[in-house]
Amino acid sequence: MSDSIFTRIIKREIPASIEYEDDEIIAFRDITPQAPVHILVVPKRPIPTLNDTSPDDAALLGRLLLTARDIAVAKGIAESGFRLVTNCNADAGQTVFHLHVHLLGGLKMGHNFA
Ligand code: AMP
């Protein structure tokens, strides 16, 4: 299977505005931001969707949330508030099949999940 666009970012084959990186996780700005802060927090391992995780991935999944929280703190939106979103498969509108968490903040959001 060919690399996902996010794996190509991890391999530095295409550019991205990288906000955070460690051995397991990379975070970069969404190319089509839906909020003043819109950062994607991505495991380097190319897991297609949340459906493809197992209990063995619990620590990694926890680290994705903690990393998103830390970036929210660094961006100054932790106190005002932020939203984390993970889309899974077609009905959720997932377009990139490499697991990721959207970190959204910097504006007052409603509760429209449509
Ligand atoms: P999803 O619809 O949940 O799969 O989210 C995929 C996200 O990836 C979308 O918000 C896109 O704007 C974003 N995206 C796609 N290509 C890139 C890219 N090259 N760099 C940064 N973000 C991207």
Side-chain angles (χ1 to χ4, degrees):
M1 211 175 85
S2 62
D3 284 344
S4 75
I5 197 155
F6 293 170
T7 292
R8 297 188 65 207
I9 288 171
I10 292 161
K11 290 181 172 175
R12 304 300 201 272
E13 291 174 358
I14 57 173
S17 297
I18 295 170
E19 297 279 352
Y20 174 83
E21 184 170 21
D22 64 29
D23 287 350
E24 285 187 313
I25 292 172
I26 191 167
F28 48 86
R29 283 191 233 157
D30 197 293
I31 203 167
T32 310
Q34 305 297 315
V37 175
H38 188 172
I39 293 170
L40 303 172
V41 186
V42 182
K44 288 187 170 177
R45 185 150 54 88
I47 303 165
T49 80
L50 196 57
N51 288 341
D52 302 301
T53 60
S54 76
D56 289 344
D57 299 314
L60 175 63
L61 293 170
R63 289 207 60 237
L64 287 175
L65 294 188
L66 291 169
T67 300
R69 187 276 315 273
D70 289 348
I71 295 170
V73 170
K75 290 291 176 187
I77 59 167
E79 294 307 318
S80 53
F82 60 91
R83 179 174 290 170
L84 303 181
V85 175
T86 296
N87 295 319
C88 183
N89 278 339
D91 279 3
Q94 184 176 2
T95 58
V96 177
F97 287 83
H98 183 138
L99 181 65
H100 53 282
V101 176
H102 296 255
L103 165 63
L104 298 145
L107 81 171
K108 183 97 176 156
M109 286 173 268
H111 292 88
N112 180 6
F113 293 103

